[in-house]
Amino acid sequence: MGRGTVRGERTRRPAGRGEPPEKASDLGWDDSLYEDAAGGDADSRGRTARGRQRAAVRPRRRRRRILRWTASILAFLIIGSAGAGYLYYRHLNGNLKTGKLNLGEHKVPEPTPNAAGQRPLNILLIGSDSRNTKENLKLGGHKQSVGSAPLADVQMLLHLSADRSNMSVVSMPRDTLTRLPQCTDPESGKVYEATVSRQMVNSSLARGGPGCTVATWEQLTGIHIDHYMMVDFSGVVSMADAIGGVPVCVNENVHSRNSSGEGSGLKLKKGTTSVKGEQALQWLRTRHGFEDGSDIARAKAQHMYMSSMVRELRENATFSHPGKLRTLAEKATNALSVDDGLDTVKKLYDLSNELKRPAPKRITMTTMPFVYEGARVVPKEKDADALWRLLRDDIALDGKDKDAGKKPKDETSDDPAAADGEIAVQVRNGTRTATAPAAPGRASQVAQALTAKGFTQAVADQAQSLVEDRTVIRYPSADLEGDAQAVAKSLGIPLSSVRESTEVSGVTLIVGADWRTGTAFPKSTDDEDASKALDKEQTQNGADDSKCMKVEPGYTW
């Protein structure tokens, strides 16, 4: 969007000096202010004496002229200030950098609304490590990084419940290994093919932009993402300055710098310190110096900062001051890169009103369950799946929802299934992994098992094997949901593995790496209490201000 126009909005031009845009009322201005302030009779006293009337003519005329001039000046000032406000609104819109939400081929459908017609909101927060500006290079990194594609070193999924009563924030470590989906760069048209081997999740940002990071999250979690927000080093500093300071705590004096020069440079005394600007960025980047020196500890420190920031913004009355709000708006719009669904300040403002509804005590922050694989991490299969399922089913992570933590019952579709023998099913082999070839003949074996159960139109797709960690049944449209669920029930596959997808043309069963042998689907431990998926050490409540980061030995002073 250009800085000189606002798409989809017209301005009207009445006779005379003109008036503000039709959307002025949306920005808090009152259109009634622009009515003619000079109308009316300046003298209505109704004098009857002729001499008095003659004597009053000139004063009345002077008064009328004064009133007209006063009204004209007042109208000019009102219109001028409103116009300036509107121009500033357009200026803020022009600050925003926008991009396509999802650069992948396949998108997860929106969740079904609840009984009140509400849907949850999922927003991906991305921190870029770009050093491609002087400001960013000065704040961290090496000159060798200049010109290289940025990496998504911070990734957090913010889940706002459908009823807006609670919020969950889940971090994924930057060095998580996963398969990256095919992504197309919207500017160059370059196609990045899906990876067979697992790659670090932070490299998704270099495959066309934040829309590829969104596609990666949707592929891994099965969660529909509504928006993304991305900020770089200098953006963090400017926004932290505008906020004015966030209290953080360490249990010992800390200096994040070792003999090799590694570390963020953060230096704090034991106890609580209000950090802002560059010091806030150092806190958010610190790995060397916190707990075990890992990205997991860094995520924990980031959660502590975010929780404290939420409390600060709620409690700090100075943010009702117009000057501070203006500064924050300027800094935020300059710092943020957002998807094209958040391309105006009004949309961001509306979203912020939604996000502030949960009380801090109903905000839960945690890190994806993981296991180490060498120096990297991978999702802890059953626990991570259970966590994603909680978010997909809109169950609060704080356990305060009714039946929270329990496995939700698989809901049977309202769409009636056709007779088994009339359901066409394509079976594909997705058992190939980064470390093992595909299990031979899996598509044929499962197709034969379906045929034996009465699904006589089941056929094996003999095309090249796919890569699918978990067995899944996909269908292209709502009128085939019942058919897809009938296939799942016949094989004992949970209905949570039945998903709508535009990547298939009919009911398609992809046999995943979790089902490499046999014709009976293996039983899962998903029936266990899903709340056990959360690592209590990595989970924080937004209202808890008692937490202090543990300082890693060797980084005290």
Side-chain angles (χ1 to χ4, degrees):
M1 182 187 305
R3 294 175 184 263
T5 60
V6 175
R7 188 175 303 156
E9 296 184 0
R10 303 191 308 274
T11 57
R12 56 189 183 209
R13 186 179 298 277
R17 294 184 177 272
E19 65 178 352
E22 292 177 338
K23 292 293 184 180
S25 59
D26 289 343
L27 301 178
W29 297 316
D30 185 351
D31 287 334
S32 65
L33 294 175
Y34 305 107
E35 296 175 357
D36 184 8
D41 187 1
D43 189 352
S44 58
R45 287 175 291 183
R47 296 177 180 176
T48 58
R50 193 176 193 77
R52 290 182 180 179
Q53 287 178 343
R54 287 176 177 174
V57 167
R58 289 177 182 173
R60 283 205 307 270
R61 287 176 178 170
R62 283 197 297 270
R63 283 195 295 270
R64 285 179 183 140
R65 283 198 297 268
I66 291 170
L67 285 171
R68 288 192 186 104
W69 277 104
T70 302
S72 297
I73 292 170
L74 180 61
F76 176 80
L77 291 174
I78 290 172
I79 293 170
S81 62
Y86 180 65
L87 289 175
Y88 185 63
Y89 172 73
R90 293 200 311 186
H91 161 71
L92 292 178
N93 285 342
N95 285 346
L96 289 169
K97 298 171 283 294
T98 63
K100 188 176 178 181
L101 174 62
N102 190 321
L103 302 183
E105 286 186 297
H106 314 303
K107 285 82 174 176
V108 175
E110 289 186 350
T112 303
N114 62 16
Q118 303 165 304
R119 284 191 175 94
L121 269 176
N122 294 299
I123 303 163
L124 188 62
L125 307 179
I126 303 171
S128 163
D129 76 342
S130 173
R131 275 88 170 185
N132 293 332
T133 65
K134 291 181 179 179
E135 294 82 4
N136 283 335
L137 184 60
K138 182 181 178 181
L139 291 168
H142 305 286
K143 291 184 179 180
Q144 295 90 328
S145 302
V146 176
S148 60
L151 302 173
D153 273 3
V154 177
Q155 298 179 41
M156 297 182 186
L157 182 65
L158 188 156
H159 173 88
L160 181 63
S161 66
D163 64 4
R164 307 302 189 251
S165 67
N166 66 87
M167 184 189 299
S168 304
V169 181
V170 181
S171 289
M172 186 183 297
R174 66 170 184 170
D175 54 1
T176 299
L177 297 176
T178 188
R179 296 180 182 86
L180 304 180
Q182 177 177 307
C183 291
T184 302
D185 189 313
E187 294 187 6
S188 67
K190 180 177 179 179
V191 176
Y192 295 87
E193 297 295 338
T195 64
V196 175
S197 62
R198 292 175 299 179
Q199 307 290 325
M200 283 176 59
V201 72
N202 66 347
S203 64
S204 60
L205 187 60
R207 294 162 57 85
C212 191
T213 306
V214 169
T216 302
W217 271 77
E218 286 203 354
Q219 174 179 274
L220 180 64
T221 67
I223 296 170
H224 172 80
I225 294 176
D226 299 279
H227 298 293
Y228 73 74
M229 295 182 181
M230 183 172 73
V231 65
D232 59 15
F233 291 164
S234 61
V236 170
V237 170
S238 64
M239 289 183 67
D241 276 337
I243 291 169
V246 173
V248 294
C249 181
V250 289
N251 71 339
E252 298 288 347
N253 294 349
V254 63
H255 186 201
S256 176
R257 188 75 76 199
N258 61 23
S259 58
S260 301
E262 297 173 316
S264 69
L266 178 72
K267 190 172 185 178
L268 295 177
K269 290 183 178 180
K270 177 181 178 180
T272 300
T273 304
S274 183
V275 297
K276 64 179 182 178
E278 186 172 350
Q279 199 172 41
L281 175 66
Q282 290 173 335
W283 176 276
L284 294 169
R285 293 187 62 220
T286 293
R287 178 165 60 90
H288 299 285
F290 284 159
E291 301 197 347
D292 61 355
S294 69
D295 282 322
I296 311 305
R298 172 157 51 190
K300 189 173 181 179
Q302 290 166 353
H303 293 161
M304 186 179 294
Y305 179 91
M306 288 182 65
S307 296
S308 184
M309 181 178 67
V310 168
R311 294 192 299 271
E312 192 72 10
L313 288 173
R314 282 176 173 267
E315 295 169 5
N316 193 339
T318 60
F319 283 93
S320 62
H321 190 281
K324 285 188 174 291
L325 286 174
R326 177 170 175 152
T327 299
L328 185 57
E330 186 75 40
K331 299 293 187 182
T333 53
N334 268 313
L336 290 174
S337 295
V338 296
D339 67 274
D340 46 21
L342 293 174
D343 59 355
T344 68
V345 174
K346 186 177 187 304
K347 291 177 182 178
L348 282 171
Y349 175 77
D350 290 343
L351 177 61
S352 70
N353 280 336
E354 294 292 296
L355 295 178
K356 72 181 183 182
R357 290 174 66 179
K361 65 182 180 181
R362 294 300 315 277
I363 298 174
T364 305
M365 300 187 181
T366 192
T367 298
M368 175 196 76
F370 66 92
V371 293
Y372 279 100
E373 190 168 289
R376 311 300 179 197
V377 301
V378 295
K380 190 175 183 181
E381 187 175 333
K382 292 181 173 59
D383 287 346
D385 286 345
L387 175 58
W388 306 139
R389 179 165 53 78
L390 289 174
L391 298 184
R392 286 197 301 268
D393 294 326
D394 198 24
I395 296 176
L397 299 188
D398 61 8
K400 295 180 181 178
D401 278 349
K402 183 180 180 181
D403 297 328
K406 297 180 181 178
K407 181 184 177 183
K409 293 182 179 179
D410 288 330
E411 294 185 5
T412 302
S413 171
D414 293 333
D415 173 54
D420 293 351
E422 297 176 3
I423 299 175
V425 186
Q426 185 180 72
V427 184
R428 307 187 69 181
N429 187 347
T431 58
R432 180 161 53 100
T433 71
T435 57
R442 289 303 291 147
S444 297
Q445 292 166 11
V446 175
Q448 290 171 10
L450 278 171
T451 300
K453 291 178 179 291
F455 292 86
T456 54
Q457 293 194 48
V459 296
D461 182 354
Q462 303 298 340
Q464 183 180 8
S465 59
L466 304 174
V467 176
E468 198 78 50
D469 291 334
R470 305 295 298 272
T471 297
V472 64
I473 299 175
R474 298 191 172 104
Y475 61 95
S477 56
D479 60 329
L480 290 177
E481 183 179 23
D483 293 356
Q485 288 195 354
V487 172
K489 290 175 181 177
S490 71
L491 294 169
I493 298 172
L495 296 188
S496 59
S497 297
V498 178
R499 301 175 189 171
E500 185 176 349
S501 172
T502 57
E503 66 184 278
V504 296
S505 57
V507 176
T508 304
L509 165 59
I510 304 176
V511 184
D514 59 339
W515 193 13
R516 292 179 63 86
T517 61
T519 56
F521 187 73
K523 289 186 177 182
S524 171
T525 58
D526 284 349
D527 290 332
E528 297 179 1
D529 189 340
S531 65
K532 295 179 181 178
L534 300 184
D535 184 336
K536 303 305 180 184
E537 275 296 311
Q538 300 299 329
T539 302
Q540 298 182 34
N541 181 274
D544 186 356
D545 60 0
S546 66
K547 301 287 186 182
C548 284
M549 285 301 297
K550 296 178 181 177
V551 175
E552 185 180 8
Y555 288 88
T556 57
W557 55 278

